[in-house]
Amino acid sequence: MFDKEIYSARRKELASKINSGVILFLGNKEAPMNYPANEYKFRQDSNFLYYFGLDEPNLAAVIDAESGEEIIFGYNRDVDDVIWMGPDASISEKANSVGVANTKPFGELFNYIEKQIGVGRKIHFLPPYRAETMIDLEKLTGIKTEKIKIFSSQELIKAVVAQRSIKQPEEIEEIENALAISYEMYATAFREIRPGLLERELYGKLEGITLSKGNGVSFPTILSVRGEILHNHHHENIMSEGDLLVIDSGAESEMHYASDITRTLPVSGKFTEKQKGIYSIVLKAQKEAIEMMKPGVKYRDVHLHAAKVITEGLKELGLMKGNVDDAVQNGAHALFFPHGLGHMLGLDVHDMEGLGENFVGYNSEIERSEQFGLAYLRFAKSLRPGHVITVEPGIYFIPKLVEKWKAENKLNEFINYEKVEEYLGFGGIRIEDDVLVTEEGHRVLGKQLIPKEIEDIEKAITGN
Ligand code: GLY
Ligand code: MN
Ligand code: MN
C-alpha cells in the first residue's frame, strides 16, 4: 500500500470537486467460479483501490462531500472466519492504515444511505460493471438494476477521470514494476520460442511469471500464431517454421498497476524478407508515433500519423495506391489497421474504461468518429504531463475482412486487392509500448526496454 497521506490527499481532492451529497464506493466481492465457495482470484475495484487502498472483499466507503467525513464499512473476522481464513487486523486498524478515522459494520451502510436519501441528499456512485454491485446499488438506492448505470453520477465520473488520468510518481513506479515483470515474460518468450512448441506451453509459462512476481495478469494473455485475430485467446496451435507469434500480454504489480506490451516474434528466430517488409512499417509507425508525443498534441493526430506511415509503407510494397492523405482520410488503412493506436494505462489495463470510454478519451473539443477503424480509438484528446498511454499500431491480413471489402469494391482507388491476396495467411504484426507524457515530451516506460528492432529480436531468440 502507499502511505496513508496519499490516499487522504486523493480523497480530499475528490471531495473538493463534488458540490454536495455523499460519494459512495462499493468494493468488489468474491466472484464464484462454479459453485458459491469456489471463487475466482479476487480483484478489488480499481476506484476503491485508488481512494481507499484496501485490497480485500466486502468493503464499502463513503465520503461526505460537504463535511468531509469519511467512513469505511466492513466486517471484523469472527471465530468461524478465523478457522478458515486465519486471523486478521480489525476493520478500524485497516481503515487507519489508509487514513480513515471512522468505521462501521457493513450492515449499517444500508441505514446510513437510507438516512441520507431521507433528508434529500444526492448519492454519487460510479457505473457498476458487476452484477453483485448492481444488485447492492438497487438495494441501497431503490433504483432498478437496469437503470443503475443511467443514474450513476457524471459529476463523480468526471472528477475521478480527471484525477486518475494524471499519474503520480508513485504510480509510475508501480507501472514500471509491472513492466519489469513484462521484461521477464518476454525474455522467457525469446528464450523458449521454437518450431514445435505449443502456444499453450509458452502461455502457461508467461502467466506463471506474472503470478510468481506480481499479482497475475492485467488481462488474459493474447499469444497466437494467428495474430490477425486481434484479441485471440485460443492457445492450441503448434508453432511452425515461418510463423509469426504475436504476444500481447501484461502483468499487475503488487499494487495492481498494469503493464501492456506486445511483441511479434519469428518462430524460427529469423524474419523472412516478406515479414521484415511489414514489420518495418509497423515499427516505423510506432516509433514516429512515440516521437510525436508531448503535451498539447491530440492523440487522435498521433493515431492518424501512424495510419499515414502504414499507408505509405503499404503503398511502397504495392498493397495500397493513390494519395496517402486521401487514403487515410477515407479510412482505407483500416483494412490493415482496424483498431485504435492506444489507450490509457494505470490500475486498469484499459484505464477507467468501466467509467465510460468517452469520458476517458474524448471531451467537448474532440468527438468520437464513426468511421470504421477510427471509431475504435479509445483515447483521442490532447496529451498532458502525467498521462500514460499505450502505443500499439499493427498490420493484419484478415481474410474475411479482405473478402468483404473486395466484394464491395470498397475504396478500391486506394487498395490493390490482387496484391493483398498474396498476403492472406501472413497473420498479423503488432508492437506495443507504454509511454509517459512528460513536461518536455515523453518517456517510454520500463527500466529495461524489451527488444523490438529486427536485429535485436533475432539476436534475442537465436543468440546471434
Ligand atoms: N490488451 C489489449 C490491448 O492491448 O489493448
Ligand atoms: Mn496489449
Ligand atoms: Mn493495449
Side-chain angles (χ1 to χ4, degrees):
M1 238 169 354
F2 295 125
D3 290 342
K4 61 168 83 168
E5 290 74 23
I6 288 184
Y7 298 106
S8 292
R10 287 175 177 177
R11 293 191 299 268
K12 213 165 156 196
E13 187 183 331
L14 181 66
S16 76
K17 287 188 188 153
I18 302 295
N19 260 331
S20 61
V22 172
I23 310 167
L24 167 66
F25 289 97
L26 295 180
N28 279 339
K29 296 181 166 180
E30 297 280 16
M33 213 158 43
N34 51 343
Y35 54 89
N38 201 28
E39 295 134 351
Y40 289 105
K41 182 170 148 45
F42 175 72
R43 176 54 157 82
Q44 182 58 291
D45 173 71
S46 296
N47 295 301
F48 201 89
L49 281 175
Y50 186 83
Y51 292 104
F52 293 92
L54 299 178
D55 186 11
E56 61 183 86
N58 305 320
L59 295 170
V62 295
I63 306 171
D64 188 314
E66 288 148 69
S67 71
E69 185 186 41
E70 302 166 341
I71 310 169
I72 289 182
F73 295 83
Y75 298 95
N76 286 317
R77 285 190 185 173
D78 62 17
V79 172
D80 277 348
D81 295 330
V82 171
I83 292 170
W84 292 99
M85 300 186 289
D88 197 13
S90 69
I91 188 70
S92 58
E93 285 169 311
K94 289 175 189 169
N96 186 45
S97 72
V98 291
V100 174
N102 305 307
T103 61
K104 288 183 193 289
F106 193 88
E108 285 193 26
L109 177 66
F110 294 85
N111 296 336
Y112 176 91
I113 296 292
E114 195 177 19
K115 221 161 118 186
Q116 302 300 328
I117 293 174
V119 295
R121 300 191 74 201
K122 182 171 170 64
I123 310 297
H124 297 269
F125 57 86
L126 295 170
Y129 52 88
R130 287 195 183 188
E132 294 84 351
T133 317
M134 289 181 200
I135 293 166
D136 280 348
L137 281 170
E138 176 175 324
K139 283 194 213 150
L140 286 160
T141 63
I143 302 166
K144 291 270 172 241
T145 49
E146 58 271 26
K147 297 254 166 71
I148 279 287
K149 276 197 182 169
I150 310 169
F151 281 91
S152 58
S153 164
Q154 281 209 18
E155 191 184 354
L156 180 60
I157 292 171
K158 286 178 181 165
V160 170
V161 167
Q163 215 176 341
R164 283 183 55 189
S165 291
I166 307 299
K167 268 63 183 180
Q168 299 169 295
E170 302 81 9
E171 297 185 278
I172 302 300
E173 205 175 309
E174 277 297 309
I175 293 174
E176 294 209 288
N177 289 342
L179 280 162
I181 304 171
S182 286
Y183 183 85
E184 196 162 326
M185 292 165 80
Y186 285 91
T188 301
F190 288 130
R191 197 171 58 239
E192 299 281 330
I193 193 171
R194 62 178 185 280
L197 189 67
L198 287 175
E199 289 171 348
R200 62 187 300 159
E201 293 177 84
L202 188 54
Y203 161 75
K205 275 194 183 157
L206 299 193
E207 292 215 345
I209 293 169
T210 69
L211 284 166
S212 62
K213 303 280 175 181
N215 257 310
V217 293
S218 53
F219 61 96
T221 302
I222 297 161
L223 185 154
S224 182
V225 292
R226 295 269 52 91
E228 76 277 14
I229 301 169
L230 301 184
H231 281 180
N232 192 344
H233 295 301
H234 173 95
H235 304 113
E236 302 303 324
N237 294 310
I238 301 173
M239 300 178 203
S240 303
E241 193 85 33
D243 282 342
L244 288 174
L245 181 75
V246 171
I247 308 177
D248 181 350
S249 65
E252 276 198 359
S253 70
E254 293 283 357
M255 308 248 320
H256 297 288
Y257 282 81
S259 58
D260 186 8
I261 294 284
T262 307
R263 290 291 183 268
T264 304
L265 280 53
V267 167
S268 49
K270 297 279 176 198
F271 290 95
T272 65
E273 286 310 309
K274 193 172 179 180
Q275 290 168 346
K276 276 185 191 170
I278 301 294
Y279 190 95
S280 305
I281 299 169
V282 179
L283 185 60
K284 183 168 192 268
Q286 203 233 16
K287 288 189 343 192
E288 288 195 15
I290 292 173
E291 227 23 70
M292 274 179 82
M293 291 173 74
K294 62 177 182 192
V297 172
K298 285 195 181 67
Y299 200 60
R300 181 159 73 188
D301 291 338
V302 184
H303 170 93
L304 290 172
H305 181 76
K308 217 168 131 179
V309 174
I310 285 171
T311 303
E312 271 161 2
L314 291 176
K315 194 175 155 185
E316 263 170 48
L317 291 180
L319 287 97
M320 293 188 77
K321 57 189 177 184
N323 179 281
V324 169
D325 289 331
D326 292 347
V328 170
Q329 205 182 349
N330 283 283
H333 60 279
L335 176 63
F336 310 97
F337 173 37
H339 59 77
L341 185 64
H343 50 85
M344 278 202 152
L345 179 84
L347 277 165
D348 308 301
V349 68
H350 289 178
D351 209 25
M352 300 171 279
E353 197 161 289
L355 303 182
E357 265 186 38
N358 286 350
F359 287 114
V360 179
Y362 291 82
N363 57 18
S364 54
E365 67 167 4
I366 190 153
E367 250 185 55
R368 189 185 280 264
S369 160
E370 288 181 358
Q371 188 184 69
F372 176 75
L374 191 52
Y376 297 128
L377 180 62
R378 295 189 158 96
F379 186 90
K381 44 192 203 194
S382 295
L383 298 171
R384 290 185 54 198
H387 283 171
V388 177
I389 317 268
T390 68
V391 186
E392 48 180 307
I395 294 179
Y396 314 88
F397 295 91
I398 306 167
K400 197 84 193 157
L401 188 60
V402 172
E403 189 189 314
K404 181 170 184 284
W405 280 35
K406 188 184 174 198
E408 294 168 2
N409 282 325
K410 187 163 170 171
L411 297 168
N412 57 8
E413 64 272 43
F414 302 116
I415 296 162
N416 186 350
Y417 283 105
E418 264 173 36
K419 186 77 181 167
V420 173
E421 281 172 339
E422 289 175 21
Y423 280 75
L424 295 181
F426 180 97
I429 290 175
R430 178 162 67 253
I431 306 170
E432 175 175 25
D433 283 302
D434 306 335
V435 180
L436 168 69
V437 180
T438 62
E439 296 286 346
E440 304 75 36
H442 61 267
R443 180 165 77 81
V444 178
L445 293 177
K447 297 209 164 97
Q448 285 176 289
L449 297 182
I450 300 162
K452 63 181 174 186
E453 299 291 336
I454 287 177
E455 311 74 52
D456 296 341
I457 287 184
E458 291 183 345
K459 191 154 181 247
I461 297 174
T462 63
N464 56 51

